[in-house]
Amino acid sequence: FGMMSYDPAFQNTASCRSRVTFIDGDKGILRYRGYPIEQLAEHSTFTETAYLLLNGELPTAAELESWEAELGGHAPLPEGIKSLLDGFQPDAHPMGVFLSSVGALSTYYPDAKQIFDDENRRIQVARLIAKAPAIGAYSYRHANGLPYVDPDSSLGFAGRFLGMLFGEPGAPYTPDPVLERALDILFILHADHEQNCSTSAMRGIGSSQADPFASMAGAAAALYGPLHGGANEAVLRMLAAIGSVDNVPDFIKKVKAGEGRLMGFGHRVYKSYDPRATVIKEQAYRVFEVTGRNPLLDIAIELERIALQDDYFVQRRLYPNVDFYSGLIYEAMGFKPAMFTVLFAIGRAPGWIAQWQEMLRDKAQKIARPRQIYLGAGERDYVPMDQR
Ligand code: CMC
């Protein structure tokens, strides 16, 4: 096989050079465009962070205002997408609905194929980020037999989303400021994470020069899996199945015996506490002051306490990741577990797109086409049916 190296799942191969996001997994550091995630979570907003990821610098007041107006303008969905949403079964998983609808948007914007035209691309980018919340909100409304609520352009990004979810058509909606801010922070924390599975999918599909709607549908499909974005939903189901703090030691024993994983723990890159989990844990307490405490929190805290001092988890350097506490907040806000990964996808959209744009501008990039080490049969002659 000559000089070819074998690196299953590309665990040790850099697929690109990037200036977007920096992670130091040993120290638990995450920065977007150089800015520490803790500072962005404290001072920034999701729309500002999205601008930063896409453009490399924080916006001026005027730039932010026009970016937010643009997102507000692109927030409504084409009528045909609403009809498409109507066609799904009421119990359709919101992530299946989300990834299909993002893909379907590609048919409404054929001009999106002009991916090397900067001005055109800018419009498609705004469309993708702006329309993701309506798709997520309407999948929930449809599943619950509720009418769709138009996006209110006088609200901010997170507030507008909450209005489409929990408001009434034609009636003004005022989001709770604590919940609105918490959701905005969760979106910031999810906005990028360098070459994770879904971002690699976005770059891989985009490398064929597919349009950004098609590429993002593929990224969302990658995020759907329980080892990636589906983990937040799996955590909530796990906590509910454990049922009480007393059952935690038995559950840990089962995990150590290889009967299932402790969902929301472990990470390919972080070998220490995920810095996003620290911010989310703090937010959980703020949200619970408004919504009341989620009783599953006590089970989560006990799981973390036992796991962090257990040899199995210590030796493998398994710590809570971003998904461990986020579901508890989402549930307290009124989201069903099946919606959790959609929330992740809405937040991750700017990261997917920033990475895709970076790839398009990178002269060293080509169509993604890994090699293989062939282990199958050597040449042999076809065997006629009556001789098998
Ligand atoms: N519970 C129990 N054991 C675990 C866990 C876990 N959550 N994660 C890893 N291990 C064990 C694994 O069994 C293996 O043990 P051994 O060496 O004895 O075979 C060792 O730790 C190394 O695990 P790995 O599967 O080789 O690690 P990886 O880098 O391939 O997997 C991971 C990373 C995130 C897929 C994995 O830790 C996992 O499945 N975690 C649970 C799912 C989860 O929370 N995913 C969310 C990730 S963060 C946000 C996101 O990407 O969406």
Side-chain angles (χ1 to χ4, degrees), residues 93-335:
H93 194 286
M95 267 312 274
V97 175
F98 184 86
L99 69 92
S100 315
S101 308
V102 171
L105 277 175
S106 147
T107 65
Y108 286 84
Y109 305 114
D111 51 329
K113 295 189 175 18
Q114 311 304 321
I115 52 174
F116 293 107
D117 172 343
D118 287 350
E119 178 51 22
N120 183 296
R121 198 174 59 242
R122 212 183 51 75
I123 296 169
Q124 314 309 335
V125 167
R127 280 185 175 144
L128 268 166
I129 295 172
K131 291 185 196 306
I135 295 174
Y138 294 173
S139 74
Y140 167 84
R141 302 287 296 190
H142 171 64
N144 290 282
L146 298 167
Y148 302 142
V149 181
D150 290 335
D152 179 347
S153 56
S154 71
L155 294 174
F157 189 91
R160 188 156 61 228
F161 177 50
L162 288 171
M164 286 188 281
L165 278 159
F166 302 127
E168 290 304 325
Y173 177 83
T174 313
D176 179 286
V178 175
L179 302 189
E180 184 184 10
R181 178 65 188 148
L183 187 59
D184 205 57
I185 291 174
L186 282 157
F187 285 152
I188 293 173
L189 297 175
H190 285 91
D192 195 47
H193 213 236
E194 49 116 308
Q195 309 314 316
N196 56 85
C197 179
S198 55
T199 303
S200 300
M202 179 97 191
R203 279 181 177 261
I205 299 168
S207 77
S208 77
Q209 301 184 359
D211 76 55
F213 295 94
S215 301
M216 195 167 115
L223 190 72
Y224 194 176
L227 294 189
H228 190 11
N232 50 18
E233 178 180 348
V235 169
L236 249 275
R237 296 194 194 286
M238 172 189 79
L239 296 176
I242 294 172
S244 84
V245 168
D246 297 340
N247 296 336
V248 167
D250 269 354
F251 179 80
I252 295 271
K253 257 187 226 148
K254 283 192 188 145
V255 169
K256 288 162 65 174
E259 297 169 36
R261 291 197 159 187
L262 176 50
M263 299 310 285
F265 256 68
H267 199 275
R268 174 63 57 77
V269 183
Y270 292 120
K271 299 301 168 197
S272 68
Y273 214 98
D274 182 334
R276 301 168 298 176
T278 314
V279 178
I280 292 179
K281 203 173 166 184
E282 281 164 27
Q283 281 302 315
Y285 288 102
R286 275 187 213 162
V287 168
F288 295 159
E289 275 174 26
V290 177
T291 61
R293 195 178 161 89
N294 188 331
L296 297 179
L297 177 67
D298 296 318
I299 300 175
I301 289 174
E302 181 67 358
L303 275 172
E304 180 184 333
R305 191 186 67 79
I306 297 188
L308 291 185
Q309 57 191 24
D310 187 296
D311 274 354
Y312 175 95
F313 296 91
V314 173
Q315 277 163 14
R316 290 170 179 77
R317 302 175 73 191
L318 302 170
Y319 292 84
N321 62 48
V322 67
D323 292 318
F324 194 64
Y325 286 104
S326 60
L328 291 168
I329 303 188
Y330 295 145
E331 190 176 66
M333 285 178 166
F335 293 106

